Amino acid sequence: TYSKYFFPQEPKIPIPVTIVVVFLIIFLLARLFGLAPLRSRGSKKVVRQLRIVNPSHNQVGIFWQSDEKETGWVIYGQGEQALDKLALDERDIQDKRNLFYNHLVALKNLKPDTKYFYKIVNNSQLIEEKDGKAFSFKTPSNLSFASNLSPAYGKIIRENGDPLSDAIILLFFEKAYPIATLSKATGEWLIPLNLILNKDTMKIQTIHLDDKLTIEIFGEESKKTQIEVDVSHISPLPQTIIFGKSYNFLGGENVLS
């Protein structure tokens, strides 16, 4: 006790402070030398069911799903480093961006036979390829819209009988890009069949009455409706669809799954 006051003592660093300093040094070295690169805030967020829909020579749609209800829009352009254009969700207005699980954005006034790059913004977080690059697509050449088929249409309601508005309806033909639309306030929807584009050839795909297709309907609940049907039974669908249930209209029988 006596010597503590008269002889100099070596200062001791508290253990908690030592731990903090060590972690700080590791963090700075990792950032400096890239030994343990940190993922950016934007890279942590992922999306599901990312699809190109409704492609034409001057317009393309982007559909995706998020795990939570979020705002979402797309930035795009003709250069990967020049994403200078912005497109909002089809249900948004300029001054109000809404929260959705299912997102549908239309990129308009595009040039034919041109490659475009895009990234998705979800709740201000950037969504891109795993390697940090932008997503891309190429518009087809000018197409002729010739078809004698009637449009696909129907009506979607909730289990309580209320119409389901602003639901996203996706129509899938084999080997073709999906076609998407939104249901109206009445629950009714309509999809023309004069622009079914083949994924491999980027040309109009010929459709016959006996061709089979799948229709998927997404609302803002954690469920969906799936319909198996052929072309001869989609103008209109054989019955009003109840959201959350699945249907099979193949073989001339109306089967509710």
Side-chain angles (χ1 to χ4, degrees):
T1 303
Y2 180 83
S3 64
K4 181 176 65 176
Y5 294 102
F6 291 90
F7 292 92
Q9 304 291 317
E10 292 182 3
K12 295 183 179 180
I13 302 175
I15 292 177
V17 174
T18 303
I19 294 174
V20 171
V21 171
V22 169
F23 275 108
L24 183 60
I25 292 173
I26 292 174
F27 174 80
L28 292 175
L29 289 175
R31 291 296 300 272
L32 181 61
F33 297 104
L35 298 178
L38 299 177
R39 300 178 68 187
S40 69
R41 182 170 179 264
S43 67
K44 294 180 181 179
K45 186 170 288 295
V46 297
V47 298
R48 296 177 287 110
Q49 295 273 8
L50 177 60
R51 297 180 183 275
I52 296 293
V53 300
N54 303 349
S56 72
H57 64 279
N58 61 359
Q59 181 171 315
V60 163
I62 310 292
F63 169 80
W64 75 92
Q65 295 177 314
S66 52
D67 290 330
E68 300 175 357
K69 278 195 171 184
E70 300 173 332
T71 57
W73 61 92
V74 172
I75 55 174
Y76 66 102
Q78 290 181 241
E80 189 168 3
Q81 305 302 322
L83 307 180
D84 53 356
K85 296 181 175 61
L86 181 146
L88 301 179
D89 192 283
E90 289 287 88
R91 295 154 292 180
D92 285 342
I93 56 178
Q94 189 64 36
D95 298 328
K96 184 179 180 182
R97 301 179 186 183
N98 299 300
L99 305 176
F100 300 110
Y101 286 115
N102 306 290
H103 307 264
L104 182 62
V105 174
L107 314 184
K108 302 178 181 180
N109 300 317
L110 306 180
K111 297 179 181 179
D113 196 24
T114 302
K115 187 173 184 178
Y116 285 88
F117 299 88
Y118 71 95
K119 294 184 180 182
I120 294 170
V121 184
N122 256 29
N123 271 9
S124 300
Q125 298 186 24
L126 204 61
I127 309 297
E128 53 196 10
E129 293 276 18
K130 292 181 179 180
D131 57 4
K133 294 183 179 180
F135 301 103
S136 65
F137 64 87
K138 187 176 181 180
T139 54
S141 304
N142 285 309
L143 302 168
S144 58
F145 308 98
S147 174
N148 56 0
L149 293 174
S150 299
Y153 63 96
K155 184 174 182 178
I156 180 80
I157 62 174
R158 302 180 187 273
E159 290 185 350
N160 63 4
D162 292 339
L164 181 64
S165 62
D166 282 339
I168 298 178
I169 295 90
L170 292 175
L171 186 152
F172 297 89
F173 281 100
E174 186 178 4
K175 298 181 180 180
Y177 284 100
I179 305 298
T181 192
L182 294 170
S183 61
K184 299 179 181 179
T186 60
E188 296 173 303
W189 57 270
L190 182 145
I191 296 178
L193 300 180
N194 60 350
L195 191 55
I196 309 299
L197 198 67
N198 186 281
K199 289 182 178 180
D200 298 325
T201 65
M202 297 296 286
K203 303 293 184 183
I204 298 294
Q205 183 166 309
T206 303
I207 303 299
H208 304 94
L209 290 177
D210 58 352
D211 286 348
K212 297 176 176 58
L213 64 140
T214 300
I215 299 172
E216 293 183 357
I217 302 176
F218 298 92
E220 286 306 297
E221 295 83 1
S222 57
K223 55 185 179 181
K224 73 171 185 178
T225 282
Q226 182 166 307
I227 304 166
E228 303 293 336
V229 67
D230 57 38
V231 176
S232 63
H233 290 92
I234 58 175
S235 303
L237 287 176
Q239 66 186 68
T240 297
I241 302 302
I242 300 173
F243 181 61
K245 301 183 183 297
S246 293
Y247 298 79
N248 189 323
F249 296 120
L250 297 174
E253 298 180 0
N254 299 347
V255 181
L256 174 62
S257 302

